[in-house]
Amino acid sequence: MAEINNLSLLKRRRDPDAVDKIKPNSWLKLPLHIPGVLMLGVVSQVCQVIFFREFLMVFHGNEMTFGLILAAWLLWVGSGSRLAGSLTKRMKRPDIHFLLSTTALFIITPVTVFMIRNLRAYFDLPPGAYLSLFDIFIATFILTAPVCLLIGAQFVFLARIWREYEHSTDTSGAGKTYVGEAAGNFIGGMLFTFILVHMFNSYQSAVLITFFIFAAALVVHMANVYKGNKLFLLPLILLISFATVIAVLPLLDKLDRWSYDLQWHNFSPQHKLIGTYNSKHGNIAVLELDEQYTFFQSGNLVYSTAGRDMALAGLEEQDAVEFAHMAVVQHQSPEKILLIGGGMRGTLAEIIKHPVSQVDYVELDPALSEAAEPFVSFATLKALDDPRVNMIHTDGRLYVKTTDQSYDLIIVDVPDPATAVLNRFYTREFFAEAEALLEDDGVFVTGMVSTPDLRGRAVANRNAAVYHTLDQVFEQVMPAGDHFLYLFAGKSSRHVSLDPVLLAERYLERDISTEGFSAQHFQTILEETQLRRVNWTLRNHGRSFAAHLDGPGRQPMLLPTIEEQKVEQESLPPVQEQYFINTDFRPIGYYYSLMFWDDLTRGDRLKTFAPLLRVQAWWILPLLILPFAGLLVAGRLGRAGSITGPAGFAVLFAVFSTGLSTMALQVALLFSFQSVYGFVYEMVGLITALFMIGLAGGAYLVNRYIKDKGSLQLLAIVQIGIALLSLVIALLLPLSAGLAEPVLIFIYFSTLTFFAGAINGIDFPLAMACYQNLAKDADKTAGKVYGLELLGACLGALLASILIAPILGIAACAILAALVNAVAFMVLLIGRRDDRLCCSGTS
């Protein structure tokens, strides 16, 4: 042993920076910081998913906010790491900073959950109004700041602790922390998806998870302060602390119920919250007003129904009555009907009054059905027990893809496409799947909220887009309706009709008796003048270059008949597909729905969605010139071979572009998964965890097998690799629409997500090593590179979720990632060459 120690001492004398790998001479004798690194990843992942689910409730299920939440999260985590990195020289005891920050995190995280739930109280909003995009932006960026700043700073503290443990002067400690945090992200995603979400509410999950990182920080601190036998108190302190947390959990359950009451009171003060229910598809809330019950899922209105003690059905059920009978009489003699959604609000009870032999009723969430059962009418309960009714709990899109049944009539009674998950029932892909299930004389019926004569650009754009999309699939599409737009589509021009006399005859022949509806309703709903106006607007709107910006054109004084309009439509200009064909991978109908609700609830206040429609794909090209201009400025003003020279700028831009592109890819994959699989509420933790495990794997491979990490050439090769992978993903995403089996869908997206994370993980340690060669400061490099990557990711999340995915298409997100990294590749090659020329000229 003495010989080994002498050999180690001899090596240190020859090389002062050498690390004694046999017995580190450190203030930390054991690698006790590793649990802290893993817990940092766990806390980051779990808190991110908790915040996402809570914000989704307040923002009414709008998935566009997912990008805003990610952007805010990444910006503040990056800012926290950058701030801690700039202060690292003053830190003599990083273990103390780590302990203090985890203590603050333990307190602030549940407080943040409470503030998110009561977010509406901070804005001047009328009851029922949606928050604007600007409100959402402000709220997410303010409320996520405290937690994210602490998490970002903890990365730097742990990187410093790891570096000091190994006596290293390079960025290997930050690289290993990066890998460990990513591994913790994966653990956190799995933990939340399979355990926490099923056993604990948001407050309980937040307190439990932040306690464990506090415990990890306490272990590191006490191991540094106390030696030997004095550490015997540590297990006792941890046990008492954990017991205290467990004792507090029942109180957090009461806090959970109280804060839900406040949340819904802020949304609608007149309503009373009956109860909330957790589901893998989203939190369910039941509200009551004058024995009328309204059901929300993830903050989005699903349906309303009159209570059982009401003598007459309310207005909510009247809409269901009209919709059901208007739909069923479209077929001359329907035998087999597929109903997607709407059954619990009264539609099903009216359908079975017709002489049908089979009704397959598909409802997504069994938890929602169970929550609604005590409040729906006796007629609906009786309908559910009818032997002709087969209730199926599954995703409607999945059922249509996989069933071998055929139908005479398919009725889609789901809410408007105000979210990406609802928009899936208004896309070209879904209409084609439904058309394939219909018999030759089959009819497809759907509908949306409308306005008289389609007044308003947003509602005209949305309803015209759905009409034109349906018209691309079916031989005949007939629109009708005033406050509600009915869309009747047939495989043949003979099988749908707007003739009120014919439809009334069918209704009377079936000898149906129902309250609130009669044969005279067909004359009212299908009034000739109103039909001509609606048909003219829908058939003509969306064909000019700027129709999405200008709205519908002025109608002629004398409108043609419906038959004449059908003939004239053949000679009209083609539809502007980018803005008036709604698809799974370009969900423009969802965007118009947000504009519509913005118009309804915001009045003359700031509009935030409409101006974004002016975005054009070619706008990205001038922006791609800016990195070359920055490289030129760095060459003129900076010093070659330093962080201010061309090489330094090139490395930083590569870091920024990698963050931007990988987050754009992640948003594209999440949106695609949502479109194909049906929902991300349950799976978001697992999907992002797979991204992080790919990231950890990529970073580990570089740290383990790449010796010369500081090679600009190698970094450039990785950038072009990211560009090529992005192009492959852009090509593969549309192919996922054809997948039907849930297991195959999950494997498909998991594989793409894993590789998107892996390429990011490969890039990070290489970029850190390259920059550290220039900066000569490991701690400053860790904070700056990590912060800049997250800043790029913040911008990528904003661009992808708000502008690119809904307007230009989901695949455009991957194309953006490819372009940005191709530019980074060229910038690195130029920066490397310029540095060599400058250095050779001065030597």
Side-chain angles (χ1 to χ4, degrees):
M1 181 65 68
E3 290 178 358
I4 293 176
N5 289 337
N6 290 337
L7 178 60
S8 175
L9 182 61
L10 181 60
K11 288 182 177 179
R12 286 191 176 280
R13 288 173 178 172
R14 292 175 180 175
D15 183 3
D17 295 330
V19 177
D20 189 345
K21 298 296 183 182
I22 299 171
K23 185 178 179 181
N25 182 19
S26 169
W27 56 272
L28 194 58
K29 296 296 183 182
L30 294 173
L32 297 178
H33 55 277
I34 292 179
V37 172
L38 290 173
M39 281 309 305
L40 176 62
V42 172
V43 166
S44 177
Q45 185 66 35
V46 171
C47 288
Q48 186 183 92
V49 177
I50 288 173
F51 289 179
F52 166 68
R53 289 161 67 101
E54 293 294 333
F55 273 124
L56 201 64
M57 284 275 294
V58 180
F59 301 150
H60 306 283
N62 175 10
E63 297 91 348
M64 184 183 293
T65 59
F66 182 60
L68 282 172
I69 297 165
L70 276 179
W73 185 276
L74 295 164
L75 176 67
W76 290 122
V77 171
S79 299
S81 68
R82 181 69 184 271
L83 179 63
S86 64
L87 299 176
T88 188
K89 290 295 184 182
R90 305 176 189 175
M91 280 193 294
K92 295 182 179 179
R93 293 286 302 280
D95 59 309
I96 295 178
H97 292 81
F98 183 40
L99 179 61
L100 292 175
S101 66
T102 57
T103 304
L105 191 67
F106 178 74
I107 298 169
I108 291 173
T109 303
V111 173
T112 303
V113 173
F114 181 83
M115 294 180 70
I116 293 173
R117 288 195 182 174
N118 292 278
L119 182 58
R120 294 179 61 89
Y122 314 136
F123 293 91
D124 182 20
L125 291 174
Y130 283 24
L131 281 84
S132 71
L133 190 61
F134 181 74
D135 294 338
I136 295 170
F137 179 87
I138 294 297
T140 52
F141 275 77
I142 290 177
L143 293 183
T144 57
V147 168
C148 294
L149 286 169
L150 290 170
I151 289 174
Q154 286 167 14
F155 174 86
V156 177
F157 301 153
L158 285 164
R160 169 77 175 270
I161 290 170
W162 203 318
R163 182 177 66 80
E164 291 186 357
Y165 170 75
E166 294 187 335
H167 294 285
S168 64
T169 58
D170 57 18
T171 58
S172 60
K176 293 174 181 177
T177 303
Y178 189 77
V179 174
E181 183 193 14
N185 285 136
F186 175 74
I187 296 171
M190 299 291 285
L191 186 66
F192 185 86
T193 302
F194 295 110
I195 297 177
L196 294 178
V197 73
H198 301 290
M199 297 180 63
F200 303 102
N201 61 48
S202 295
Y203 292 105
Q204 292 169 336
S205 297
V207 167
L208 280 172
I209 291 300
T210 53
F211 167 77
F212 283 117
I213 194 172
F214 163 78
L218 185 63
V219 169
V220 172
H221 175 66
M222 292 190 68
N224 179 49
V225 174
Y226 300 106
K227 310 295 180 183
N229 295 331
K230 293 184 178 181
L231 282 176
F232 78 94
L233 290 175
L234 181 57
L236 181 61
I237 294 172
L238 292 176
L239 183 60
I240 293 173
S241 301
F242 184 67
T244 304
V245 169
I246 295 299
V248 170
L249 292 184
L251 298 177
L252 295 177
D253 195 48
K254 294 182 180 180
L255 176 62
D256 184 66
R257 291 194 294 270
W258 178 59
S259 61
Y260 272 133
D261 282 333
L262 288 177
Q263 181 182 37
W264 288 104
H265 177 78
N266 290 329
F267 179 71
S268 182
Q270 295 82 17
H271 282 80
K272 176 185 177 183
L273 180 65
I274 300 299
T276 60
Y277 310 87
N278 285 322
S279 163
K280 66 180 182 179
H281 301 294
N283 181 272
I284 299 164
V286 183
L287 277 68
E288 182 264 339
L289 175 64
D290 297 331
E291 297 185 21
Q292 302 285 316
Y293 295 91
T294 304
F295 300 86
F296 291 83
Q297 190 160 41
S298 294
N300 192 51
L301 174 65
V302 183
Y303 51 75
S304 297
T305 183
R308 294 180 185 175
D309 296 330
M310 295 289 288
L312 296 173
L315 293 175
E316 297 85 355
E317 290 190 353
Q318 181 61 35
D319 290 338
V321 171
E322 290 185 3
F323 182 74
H325 294 298
M326 287 292 296
V328 181
V329 297
Q330 280 297 323
H331 197 282
Q332 187 172 359
S333 56
E335 293 291 327
K336 294 176 63 177
I337 296 178
L338 172 62
L339 172 64
I340 299 177
M344 301 297 282
R345 77 179 182 120
T347 306
L348 178 64
E350 298 302 318
I351 288 175
I352 63 170
K353 291 180 180 179
H354 293 257
V356 299
S357 61
Q358 177 182 333
V359 179
D360 290 337
Y361 168 37
V362 178
E363 191 68 69
L364 173 63
D365 194 350
L368 179 59
S369 300
E370 292 175 9
E373 189 172 334
F375 308 106
V376 299
S377 66
F378 287 111
T380 296
L381 290 178
K382 184 178 179 181
L384 292 171
D385 290 333
D386 193 294
R388 295 172 295 170
V389 174
N390 178 29
M391 190 173 187
I392 305 166
H393 282 114
T394 188
D395 174 52
R397 280 292 298 269
L398 180 62
Y399 179 81
V400 169
K401 279 185 178 183
T402 57
T403 185
D404 56 0
Q405 298 281 325
S406 59
Y407 296 96
D408 301 309
L409 183 63
I410 296 177
I411 303 173
V412 179
D413 188 11
V414 299
D416 287 4
T419 67
V421 70
L422 291 172
N423 187 73
R424 301 162 60 245
F425 295 98
Y426 296 89
T427 63
R428 181 170 57 195
E429 292 84 352
F430 172 66
F431 294 153
E433 292 162 358
E435 193 266 351
L437 297 185
L438 288 172
E439 300 286 358
D440 291 340
D441 61 346
V443 176
F444 177 88
V445 181
T446 189
M448 296 162 292
V449 170
S450 189
T451 57
D453 299 334
L454 291 166
R455 294 171 192 155
R457 177 179 54 172
V459 70
N461 284 358
R462 196 271 307 277
N463 291 0
V466 175
Y467 166 79
H468 289 307
T469 305
L470 200 58
D471 192 52
Q472 280 199 346
V473 176
F474 286 88
E475 178 70 21
Q476 177 83 301
V477 181
M478 302 293 281
D482 190 355
H483 73 284
F484 185 86
L485 177 69
Y486 297 93
L487 289 168
F488 309 115
K491 299 182 75 170
S492 168
S493 59
R494 306 187 312 273
H495 296 130
V496 291
S497 174
L498 296 180
D499 183 355
V501 176
L502 172 64
L503 300 179
E505 287 178 355
R506 290 179 181 174
Y507 181 81
L508 292 172
E509 287 172 358
R510 297 172 188 178
D511 193 24
I512 298 169
S513 175
T514 187
E515 292 182 355
F517 192 86
S518 67
Q520 284 71 38
H521 277 78
F522 294 103
Q523 292 286 352
T524 303
I525 296 172
L526 302 177
E527 194 274 322
E528 178 67 19
T529 303
Q530 194 271 341
L531 278 180
R532 292 189 185 189
R533 290 197 297 265
V534 169
N535 273 263
W536 191 92
T537 298
L538 292 177
R539 295 175 190 274
N540 286 269
H541 184 43
R543 299 180 184 274
S544 63
F545 177 74
H548 62 293
L549 299 174
D550 300 334
R554 181 172 297 179
Q555 295 181 349
M557 292 293 293
L558 296 175
L559 286 168
T561 65
I562 303 300
E563 291 302 318
E564 289 171 342
Q565 290 185 34
K566 287 164 59 179
V567 174
E568 292 176 359
Q569 184 173 337
E570 300 298 324
S571 60
L572 293 175
V575 174
Q576 297 293 315
E577 292 210 4
Q578 179 177 342
Y579 298 103
F580 288 94
I581 298 297
N582 190 37
T583 71
D584 283 345
F585 295 94
R586 193 175 59 250
I588 191 67
Y590 148 57
Y591 197 85
Y592 288 145
S593 293
L594 296 179
M595 286 179 56
F596 178 39
W597 285 109
D598 203 34
D599 289 345
L600 287 180
T601 60
R602 307 298 292 184
D604 296 328
R605 299 173 67 177
L606 178 66
K607 300 295 189 297
T608 49
F609 291 102
L612 300 180
L613 284 174
R614 299 184 179 276
V615 171
Q616 298 293 322
W618 62 266
W619 289 7
I620 188 62
L621 297 178
L623 297 178
L624 294 177
I625 300 173
L626 294 178
F628 297 101
L631 193 65
L632 180 63
V633 171
R636 293 291 181 90
L637 303 180
R639 182 169 58 86
S642 72
I643 57 174
T644 60
F649 176 84
V651 171
L652 291 180
F653 180 73
V655 169
F656 178 84
S657 65
T658 300
L660 186 151
S661 59
T662 50
M663 189 50 57
L665 288 176
Q666 189 174 8
V667 170
L669 289 166
L670 280 170
F671 270 54
S672 300
F673 184 74
Q674 175 85 309
S675 296
V676 177
Y677 189 82
F679 53 93
V680 298
Y681 188 85
E682 178 195 23
M683 305 297 289
V684 64
L686 188 56
I687 290 294
T688 52
L690 289 168
F691 177 87
M692 299 309 298
I693 199 63
L695 185 146
Y700 172 79
L701 289 176
V702 170
N703 287 327
R704 179 70 174 83
Y705 295 106
I706 303 297
K707 294 183 178 180
D708 184 16
K709 300 181 183 65
S711 168
L712 290 179
Q713 183 177 359
L714 182 58
L715 183 60
I717 293 173
V718 173
Q719 298 304 130
I720 201 64
I722 297 175
L724 293 174
L725 176 65
S726 301
L727 287 177
V728 170
I729 290 176
L731 295 173
L732 291 178
L733 283 180
L735 300 179
S736 63
L739 298 176
E741 293 297 327
V743 174
L744 291 178
I745 294 171
F746 182 77
I747 292 173
Y748 188 87
F749 281 99
S750 296
T751 303
L752 294 180
T753 301
F754 176 84
F755 281 108
I759 198 74
N760 187 190
I762 291 171
D763 185 89
F764 182 78
L766 297 177
M768 284 235 295
C770 289
Y771 195 77
Q772 206 269 340
N773 286 345
L774 302 171
K776 312 300 182 185
D777 188 324
D779 294 326
K780 186 175 181 180
T781 294
K784 189 170 186 178
V785 171
Y786 187 63
L788 190 61
E789 183 192 60
L790 293 180
L791 179 62
C794 168
L795 181 60
L798 286 174
L799 291 175
S801 60
I802 296 175
L803 293 179
I804 300 175
I807 299 175
L808 301 179
I810 295 174
C813 299
I815 294 173
L816 171 68
L819 289 173
V820 170
N821 278 278
V823 170
F825 168 74
M826 291 185 283
V827 167
L828 278 167
L829 292 183
I830 296 172
R832 177 172 175 263
R833 184 196 64 183
D834 286 352
D835 257 29
R836 284 183 172 181
L837 291 175
C838 292
C839 291
S840 62
T842 57
S843 60

